[in-house]
Amino acid sequence: MKLEICNYSGYKIYPGHGKRVVKIDGKVHIYLNSKCQRSADMRRNPRRVTWTVLYRRKHKKGAAEQEIKKRTRRTVKFQRAITGATWNEILAKRNQQPEFRKAQRQDAINAAKQAKKVKAQQKKVTQPTAVKAGKPVKKPEKIQKTVPKTGPKKGTQR
Amino acid sequence: MNNFVRLLPTTIDFIVHRSFSITAPLYDLQKVSRVHVVDNSKLALDGNVYKRMPRIIHCYKRNNNLTRTRLTAGLGDKVLLAIKGQMKKAIIVGCKQRVRKPNVPQFDSNNVVLIDDDGNPVGTRILAPIPAFFRTRGDLAKIAAIATAFV
């Protein structure tokens, strides 16, 4: 036999107990006893009636619910590669020494300066007219080398 | 109105002191009982909104005991209704009276399904839940066939 559950109290209804009522709108309610049926007829909300399962669930009575809450979630940190850079590449960039980076920066600056010089000379060739003193001299631009990020970003949303 | 109001408390006190035992009301279906037709037939739809509710005017009980003063009908019994000024046979599919049998539900309204003289339902669908034992009883199989929900 099938064990029913009382619509009102949430208790199990064993065979030989309980009452089944069909309301005018066609909904079927199964009550354990007349106490549940009378409470339902009086339109008492089971969520406010202390002895029902619905009340206990709503107000979190009982040990089972508290145990589940104690088990907190732990985030797992996971290192992985990205498209465009394998894990080894990322590691290599992360482990670069500051002197190495500085040297790289200097090389880049020098290269840029050199390129500028070549450009300026080319311009002089194409424009043989004398350059006035009032012409503003271009300053060599400093190239900012972007420092690679270490590890996964903090505060990213899942 | 004033007279009535003055009378009421005293009669209640009288009852309390004498401790009458009053039985619960019986919701048996008998002659003049008003019912609700749960068909989707035209007569049912018109009959439910007519100036008078459909009423039972005769019960065709199987074990007809003619000496009884009250002839009552329950779930699965055939009755004769007066709907919209006409007479029509019907079968009771929902009863407010509580039946103390296992797996037989109690309904909040007295429901009825119209049938013709051969026992075929007039409508094509039944809009309320039907007791499950309609499936097992042979004479109610036609009703069960057009039912949408069972209880």
Side-chain angles (χ1 to χ4, degrees):
Chain A
M1 281 217 99
K2 189 184 167 192
L3 271 188
E4 309 276 3
I5 292 179
C6 178
N7 278 142
Y8 190 81
S9 60
Y11 290 6
K12 287 188 201 155
I13 300 178
Y14 282 87
H17 295 261
K19 186 178 185 181
R20 203 178 280 224
V21 178
V22 183
K23 297 285 176 179
I24 289 178
D25 57 4
K27 294 219 169 76
V28 181
H29 293 259
I30 302 170
Y31 300 118
L32 172 64
N33 50 22
S34 67
K35 178 180 176 181
C36 300
Q37 193 189 0
R38 295 266 190 83
S39 301
D41 287 344
M42 277 196 271
R43 313 272 295 267
R44 282 189 185 163
N45 191 347
R47 275 159 240 276
R48 295 167 136 222
V49 176
T50 318
W51 50 270
T52 59
V53 167
L54 255 75
Y55 174 93
R56 290 185 71 79
R57 220 178 278 157
K58 180 187 170 188
H59 293 268
K60 294 171 192 124
K61 306 282 184 190
E65 282 91 342
Q66 301 204 329
E67 262 189 83
I68 289 165
K69 271 203 163 177
K70 271 190 182 167
R71 259 188 275 132
T72 53
R73 283 223 195 102
R74 289 181 152 228
T75 59
V76 174
K77 268 203 166 179
F78 182 50
Q79 319 282 17
R80 52 196 283 265
I82 310 168
T83 53
T86 59
W87 180 234
N88 289 329
E89 284 176 10
I90 293 172
L91 268 179
K93 283 212 170 163
R94 196 192 290 183
N95 297 334
Q96 278 174 354
Q97 297 299 316
E99 300 89 30
F100 175 70
R101 284 204 200 122
K102 198 176 180 184
Q104 279 216 312
R105 211 177 287 146
Q106 203 57 37
D107 287 343
I109 290 167
N110 291 341
K113 278 189 182 169
Q114 202 64 22
K116 275 265 147 59
K117 270 191 191 165
V118 169
K119 243 190 183 179
Q121 282 179 355
Q122 282 191 340
K123 260 196 175 174
K124 277 187 183 167
V125 167
T126 51
Q127 292 173 357
T129 53
V131 176
K132 285 200 177 168
K135 191 184 180 185
V137 179
K138 276 191 189 168
K139 284 185 191 168
E141 294 159 25
K142 209 178 188 186
I143 295 167
Q144 292 293 328
K145 180 102 189 188
T146 53
V147 176
K149 295 201 167 76
T150 52
K153 257 190 193 173
K154 286 190 182 174
T156 45
Q157 286 186 349
R158 278 204 214 128
Chain B
M1 189 59 192
N2 273 334
N3 283 331
F4 177 74
V5 167
R6 252 182 271 133
L7 208 72
L8 202 58
T10 54
T11 48
I12 288 172
D13 279 326
F14 172 69
I15 288 168
V16 165
H17 290 319
R18 287 297 165 123
S19 55
F20 273 96
S21 155
I22 300 169
T23 56
L26 295 176
Y27 292 109
D28 278 320
L29 290 172
Q30 50 178 342
K31 280 189 188 179
V32 192
S33 297
R34 286 156 295 180
V35 291
H36 185 244
V37 187
V38 291
D39 257 331
N40 68 344
S41 60
K42 182 110 188 2
L43 186 57
L45 295 173
D46 291 341
N48 278 331
V49 297
Y50 190 61
K51 56 182 173 178
R52 251 179 260 116
M53 268 186 88
R55 287 180 196 204
I56 294 176
I57 52 177
H58 189 256
C59 307
Y60 302 102
K61 195 82 177 189
R62 279 177 298 156
N63 303 318
N64 193 0
N65 190 351
L66 291 168
T67 57
R68 260 191 285 171
T69 51
R70 277 190 321 138
L71 189 58
T72 55
L75 281 174
D77 290 335
K78 192 159 52 168
V79 293
L80 185 64
L81 292 188
I83 281 192
K84 222 188 161 194
Q86 323 166 11
M87 295 196 290
K88 196 81 189 168
K89 291 210 177 111
I91 287 194
I92 295 171
V93 297
C95 198
K96 264 179 125 172
Q97 177 66 8
R98 185 178 178 187
V99 180
R100 289 193 174 265
K101 277 184 192 163
N103 296 328
V104 176
Q106 180 192 22
F107 290 74
D108 260 13
S109 63
N110 297 314
N111 298 332
V112 127
V113 168
L114 297 177
I115 58 170
D116 61 13
D117 289 337
D118 299 332
N120 301 316
V122 177
T124 54
R125 241 174 10 132
I126 300 177
L127 310 166
I130 302 269
F133 71 84
F134 272 51
R135 275 193 282 220
T136 49
R137 253 181 55 182
D139 53 341
L140 302 172
K142 289 177 187 173
I143 308 286
I146 60 169
T148 49
F150 287 95
V151 179

